[in-house]
Amino acid sequence: MKYFKRIKSEIDPTPFLEEIRGVTGAWNVATGRQDKIPVQREAKAIPLRGLRKSAIGDRKRRDVHESRWTTGSKQYPVACAFLEAFAAEQDSILGRAKIVCLPAGKRVYPHIDRGDYYRVRNRYHFVLTSTHGSWMKAGDEEVRMQQGELWWFDNDQMHEANNDGDQDRIHMIFDMLPSACAGDVFGSAA
């Protein structure tokens, strides 16, 4: 496979799921993803890291490289610690990150993540829960990611997802910039 690669498996999702369950109304705090991005309209999200709005200037949001922890991320210390540890392990700089719920019978419509931000980063999916495995397609390849697995995939390809299970599918989705590329993106100040 050239568009998908399983990085790890058998990661216990229990502490992450307990953390989400411990936050009242977790899925209703930030609705920008489903309200503003048509291909994501059926998915709910908990933003952990987002673009640094003060850095937008005259750029499009998809071209903003600078990221920051969201105010709400403080309620998810287990998830944040995992992201920081994995970024360090991969010698990468953590970018945007979110926990995403795709309810049963819902989908993420075909799209390509365009813009300078996505062009230089690697995209990862950590499957926290999925009844029948999480179906995804990128380019001409399809996979079924299982609970407890961490995958890289090429989001420069046309990609989509579908929850054909009978329960919510929950993933942690995040981006990382290899440290070797940071100087090209942020200049010598990185």
Side-chain angles (χ1 to χ4, degrees), residues 100-171:
V100 176
C101 173
L102 190 59
K106 302 297 183 181
R107 64 184 297 199
V108 173
Y109 293 85
H111 67 287
I112 296 173
D113 295 330
R114 299 191 190 279
D116 290 343
Y117 169 85
Y118 298 104
R119 184 179 46 79
V120 296
R121 284 173 178 78
N122 291 311
R123 168 62 56 94
Y124 296 88
H125 276 240
F126 171 25
V127 183
L128 299 178
T129 185
S130 184
T131 312
H132 302 297
S134 295
W135 178 86
M136 277 191 74
K137 181 177 182 180
D140 59 354
E141 296 175 354
E142 298 179 23
V143 295
R144 209 167 264 280
M145 304 173 183
Q146 301 300 318
Q147 183 170 304
E149 293 180 341
L150 174 62
W151 287 75
W152 165 88
F153 91 96
D154 186 349
N155 61 331
D156 288 332
Q157 304 301 312
M158 183 68 69
H159 59 279
E160 63 183 295
N162 180 38
N163 183 354
D164 55 0
D166 57 2
Q167 297 176 10
D168 290 348
R169 181 197 100 163
I170 301 174
H171 285 202

Side-chain angles (χ1 to χ4, degrees), residues 3-173:
Y3 303 134
F4 292 95
K5 181 179 178 184
R6 187 174 58 212
I7 306 297
K8 294 185 177 203
S9 57
E10 299 183 22
I11 303 170
D12 183 7
T14 306
F16 303 94
L17 294 168
E18 287 175 353
E19 190 168 69
I20 295 164
R21 281 192 289 271
V23 178
T24 304
W27 299 110
N28 301 318
V29 175
T31 60
R33 185 176 173 93
Q34 64 264 37
D35 294 343
K36 297 177 184 173
I37 306 172
V39 298
Q40 305 286 351
R41 65 185 173 268
E42 296 179 8
K44 303 180 226 173
I46 300 168
L48 299 176
R49 288 182 58 86
L51 66 81
R52 186 176 301 280
K53 291 180 184 173
S54 63
I56 293 175
D58 61 354
R59 296 181 285 179
K60 294 180 180 178
R61 297 174 71 87
R62 66 186 185 195
D63 295 333
V64 175
H65 291 282
E66 299 82 1
S67 297
R68 48 105 183 127
W69 291 105
T70 64
T71 305
S73 67
K74 293 179 180 110
Q75 297 179 84
Y76 303 93
V78 172
C80 294
F82 170 84
L83 292 168
E84 288 177 328
F86 186 67
E89 177 185 312
Q90 297 294 311
D91 191 25
S92 294
I93 298 168
L94 189 57
R96 300 175 194 172
K98 61 194 77 56
I99 302 169
V100 176
C101 173
L102 190 59
K106 302 297 183 181
R107 64 184 297 199
V108 173
Y109 293 85
H111 67 287
I112 296 173
D113 295 330
R114 299 191 190 279
D116 290 343
Y117 169 85
Y118 298 104
R119 184 179 46 79
V120 296
R121 284 173 178 78
N122 291 311
R123 168 62 56 94
Y124 296 88
H125 276 240
F126 171 25
V127 183
L128 299 178
T129 185
S130 184
T131 312
H132 302 297
S134 295
W135 178 86
M136 277 191 74
K137 181 177 182 180
D140 59 354
E141 296 175 354
E142 298 179 23
V143 295
R144 209 167 264 280
M145 304 173 183
Q146 301 300 318
Q147 183 170 304
E149 293 180 341
L150 174 62
W151 287 75
W152 165 88
F153 91 96
D154 186 349
N155 61 331
D156 288 332
Q157 304 301 312
M158 183 68 69
H159 59 279
E160 63 183 295
N162 180 38
N163 183 354
D164 55 0
D166 57 2
Q167 297 176 10
D168 290 348
R169 181 197 100 163
I170 301 174
H171 285 202
M172 191 179 319
I173 302 172

Side-chain angles (χ1 to χ4, degrees), residues 87-88 90-94 122 176-186 190:
Q90 297 294 311
D91 191 25
S92 294
I93 298 168
L94 189 57
N122 291 311
M176 294 194 317
L177 176 69
S179 292
C181 299
D184 296 337
V185 173
F186 295 108

